Amino acid sequence: MAYQSPINDLRFLMDHVVGFDAVAATDRYAEATPDMVDAILTEAAKMCDAVLAPLQRNGDLHPAVLENGVVRTSPGFADGYRAIAEGGWIGMSADPENGGMGLPMTLTTAVNDMMSGACLSLQLNPLMCQGQIEALEHHANDAIKALYLPKLISGEWCGTMNLTEPQAGSDVGALRSKAEPNGDGSYAISGQKIYISWGDNDFTENVCHLVLARLPDGVPGTKGISLFMVPKFIPDGDGNPGERNSLRVVSLEHKLGLHGSPTAVMEYDGATGWLVGPEHGGMAAMFTMMNNARLGVGVQGIGVAEGAYQHALAYAQDRKQGRAGGTGAIIEHADVRRMLATMKADTYAARAIAMACAVAIDLSDDPAWQARAAFLTPIAKAFGTDTGIAVAESGVQVHGGMGFIEETGAAQYARDVRVTAIYEGTNGIQAMDLVARKMMDGGDAASALLDEIEAGSEAAKATHPALAEAVWQAAETLRETTEWLTAQDDLNDRFAGAVPYLRAFARVLGGHYHLAAAMTGDTARARLATFYIERLLPEHIGLLAHVRQGAGTLLAITPDDLVA
Ligand SMILES: Cc1cc2nc3c(=O)[nH]c(=O)nc-3n(C[C@H](O)[C@H](O)[C@H](O)COP(=O)(O)OP(=O)(O)OC[C@H]3O[C@@H](n4cnc5c(N)ncnc54)[C@H](O)[C@@H]3O)c2cc1C
């Protein structure tokens, strides 16, 4: 079945659930009228469905390859990238002064969702560019902004992020790449970076690498790291690609999935780079890109969940097996219905969380919204990608044996999406961020969200008493555990339950957003909300019981016990 962008769900969330009207009411985003939003979503959907979705299998069957030092991309990817660039979808939220559209992050998030569902491995390229654009807008000097931003926004050039090294994965502070001042304002960058997504391509004039490296006086750890712009071709006096820089793609990784995206080992050998942000302030600058990418990667998971769901649904409507009743297709069987309903309900919950996070980003001139965006980002990343993985996995199961056979495409979704829980900070690292850094406010941001969930339940009590009571009660249990968590001084007591805590928070948020859907009077959405609140939401009870055990009995299991 051909992929169809989920415009209706995205529009429904914006209109009825995540409060996009507050974004459209700001002076900054006054142009985001309902007509404009419709036009944007419709145009983006056309491109995703007609141009990007047909490339999905190409990326898998004909992976990007390295030939004589040159990366050759999958068939059709150059045209797909051109369609994305020409549509203006890379710079949707970028500053209009540099050629961007200046649109809300909520709309960019919606379009990224559709592009990810259509062709994940290609979409990773513009996602990296969007993060780089935001990092440069916030941290680069005027000369770098003037030179690079218009080209990145137009898509003539594209951007990458270079953090990881063999000994520095989650522990970025362990990196060894070096930067030496050249004495003319530029720096010589040397070192090896691994796993660099879209480290090169054969369809943009230039590739701009944002590279983390340490200056000679940089202290060990994250505080001694600086950020540099290191282009593949050094721009000449007119800003056109000039001399070849001393960097190269050493090899491309052979991966479980996401074959259309070239994942490169990069070698920098005294390559010329320019500082972005202050000396030793690289992590703060890179965090702008990483936060952008964290929401973006969560949305990748949701996009893939959508694609996998549509695939499985079509198969279940067609495949006849057993005494199914009704149409005779397997969709009539209770267990298949359970799988499909879970896939749909969780995709909706994850999408609502990501869109709510984007709305908070759009309103984050206000510190309270900024705190909400910071709190929701790790939840959107981890729950979005966990949902992508679980839904794609169920998609294989719905297909039965055909799910294990590559021709159906069901397995590709499961292989491609697996990395989203790993890159851009593993989901374990996201959860630790949630219970430590994002709770340094003593739990205020969490508490404000819980207040909103409980107020939503109160408002729903008259029309949906049972559902409202279940969501209210879940929020109270989550509040008690949140208070317990913030009272733990030993961080291990928080970290031991970080992953179940994040998932429980997402579950409860999902209940809140499903309840909001039921409140609109849409009967199909109300039935899905009932399914979610009665059958999926109770998972939070077990998860929170796990959290409240702290670290004691977990760390009592010694490494020796594990090998015994
Ligand atoms: C396909 C692909 C594309 C990628 N693209 C890019 C890119 O474009 N740019 C880039 O810079 N990087 C990229 N990466 C790298 C990616 O971000 C890292 O793989 C990821 O951050 C994890 O690092 P690691 O692989 O070294 O795992 P490790 O850090 O070794 O982690 C192994 C396990 O230990 C856990 N762990 C590690 N530290 C802790 C801790 N302190 N507490 C608790 N648990 C911990 C992790 O959660 C994980 O489960 C990419 C990776 C892949 C596979």
Side-chain angles (χ1 to χ4, degrees):
M1 184 207 135
Y3 170 79
Q4 283 186 317
S5 292
I7 293 193
N8 286 347
D9 262 10
L10 289 162
R11 193 68 234 225
F12 177 84
L13 284 169
M14 291 172 76
D15 290 348
H16 302 292
V17 179
V18 298
F20 181 70
D21 49 345
V23 176
T26 60
D27 289 344
R28 183 170 174 198
Y29 297 123
E31 280 180 21
T33 59
D35 285 350
M36 157 77 117
V37 169
D38 272 338
I40 296 267
L41 294 181
T42 307
E43 275 310 303
K46 269 192 218 158
M47 176 200 58
C48 291
D49 300 358
V51 182
L52 303 189
L55 302 175
Q56 162 92 339
R57 290 293 286 151
N58 285 6
D60 201 41
L61 297 173
H62 309 286
V65 290
L66 185 64
E67 275 176 11
N68 304 321
V70 177
V71 170
R72 304 268 174 234
T73 56
S74 304
F77 272 36
D79 293 336
Y81 176 83
R82 213 161 291 125
I84 296 169
E86 284 170 5
W89 308 118
I90 299 171
M92 281 182 72
S93 291
D95 191 339
E97 264 195 26
N98 299 308
M101 288 203 240
L103 290 167
M105 182 53 82
T106 313
L107 271 175
T108 294
T109 298
V111 173
N112 284 350
D113 182 335
M114 300 194 278
M115 289 200 284
S116 307
C119 184
L120 186 72
S121 57
L122 177 57
Q123 186 269 346
L124 182 55
N125 182 321
L127 183 66
M128 295 288 96
C129 300
Q130 287 170 357
Q132 185 170 117
I133 289 165
E134 197 179 329
L136 295 183
E137 283 180 346
H138 283 88
H139 303 285
N141 63 31
D142 288 346
I144 291 183
K145 281 184 189 167
L147 187 53
Y148 289 89
L149 282 173
K151 305 269 193 192
L152 288 165
I153 290 168
S154 68
E156 287 162 85
W157 298 359
C158 73
T160 71
M161 62 193 294
N162 287 238
L163 293 86
T164 310
E165 298 178 9
Q167 77 297 342
S170 302
D171 184 9
V172 181
L175 66 79
R176 293 190 193 132
S177 289
K178 288 186 184 148
E180 301 270 351
N182 285 330
D184 61 357
S186 70
Y187 296 80
I189 315 295
S190 300
Q192 191 185 72
K193 295 285 178 181
I194 60 170
Y195 301 139
I196 304 309
S197 294
W198 284 99
D200 200 5
N201 70 69
D202 53 4
F203 49 68
T204 60
E205 284 178 357
N206 209 350
V207 182
C208 308
H209 303 286
L210 268 188
V211 182
L212 285 179
R214 206 179 300 278
L215 285 161
D217 61 343
V219 296
T222 49
K223 292 201 172 111
I225 295 176
S226 306
L227 183 63
F228 300 88
M229 166 58 79
V230 190
K232 175 177 167 187
F233 295 105
I234 298 172
D236 64 17
D238 298 324
N240 296 316
E243 187 192 331
R244 182 84 157 80
N245 211 344
S246 25
L247 59 92
R248 70 187 178 103
V249 175
V250 178
S251 61
L252 297 184
E253 302 295 354
H254 299 280
K255 310 192 293 288
L256 174 69
L258 209 69
H259 296 313
S261 165
T263 306
V265 175
M266 302 290 304
E267 187 75 39
Y268 295 88
D269 185 12
T272 306
W274 287 266
L275 192 63
V276 174
E279 288 188 352
H280 317 306
M283 278 315 287
M286 190 54 116
F287 252 108
T288 303
M289 181 160 186
M290 282 155 66
N291 276 331
N292 179 305
R294 283 178 176 181
L295 173 59
V297 170
V299 169
Q300 287 191 320
I302 297 160
V304 173
E306 178 69 40
Y309 171 72
Q310 290 185 15
H311 237 71
L313 177 65
Y315 188 80
Q317 287 171 315
D318 189 50
R319 169 76 173 160
K320 299 205 166 35
Q321 200 66 194
R323 289 170 188 268
T327 60
I330 59 170
I331 196 171
E332 306 286 352
H333 292 303
D335 187 53
V336 176
R337 195 82 60 85
R338 174 192 63 78
M339 287 192 274
L340 290 167
T342 304
M343 293 161 82
K344 189 173 174 73
D346 269 350
T347 303
Y348 170 85
R351 182 172 279 141
I353 292 169
M355 293 291 276
C357 182
V359 164
I361 291 170
D362 286 329
L363 297 174
S364 60
D365 285 344
D366 174 339
W369 282 106
Q370 194 178 12
R372 170 153 313 178
F375 189 82
L376 283 178
T377 297
I379 302 179
K381 196 278 179 180
F383 189 66
T385 57
D386 283 348
T387 298
I389 292 167
V391 169
E393 166 62 25
S394 293
V396 171
Q397 194 70 14
V398 168
H399 280 79
M402 287 308 288
F404 203 66
I405 306 301
E406 289 289 355
E407 277 87 335
T408 58
Q412 185 187 344
Y413 286 119
R415 290 185 288 99
D416 283 0
V417 77
R418 186 60 187 84
V419 71
T420 59
I422 296 170
Y423 62 27
E424 211 32 69
T426 64
N427 285 2
I429 298 290
Q430 302 300 323
M432 289 164 65
D433 176 50
L434 182 71
V435 299
R437 232 158 53 87
K438 302 296 166 62
M439 288 195 174
M440 275 170 23
D441 62 358
D444 288 352
S447 179
L449 258 172
L450 291 168
D451 290 346
E452 189 178 306
I453 295 170
E454 290 183 0
S457 306
E458 292 291 345
K461 264 188 181 148
T463 52
H464 299 78
L467 299 184
E469 175 61 24
V471 174
W472 190 88
Q473 195 56 56
E476 266 306 287
T477 313
L478 180 56
R479 192 188 292 280
E480 283 161 21
T481 305
T482 304
E483 285 166 3
W484 179 90
L485 206 57
T486 50
Q488 303 311 307
D489 294 330
D490 182 345
L491 275 182
N492 267 340
D493 282 322
R494 298 190 191 192
F495 291 156
V499 165
Y501 177 78
L502 184 151
R503 186 167 179 85
F505 216 114
R507 272 274 164 259
V508 176
L509 281 167
H512 172 56
Y513 296 129
H514 268 291
L515 187 57
M519 291 278 285
T520 63
D522 180 321
T523 52
R525 290 185 190 276
R527 286 193 287 271
L528 195 66
T530 305
F531 172 84
Y532 180 95
I533 292 169
E534 288 182 351
R535 295 165 198 248
L536 305 183
L537 177 61
E539 187 192 2
H540 78 277
I541 297 167
L543 291 166
L544 294 176
H546 187 153
V547 175
R548 286 193 301 272
Q549 292 305 314
T553 51
L554 173 68
L555 294 184
I557 301 172
T558 66
D560 285 346
D561 291 343
L562 292 173
V563 292

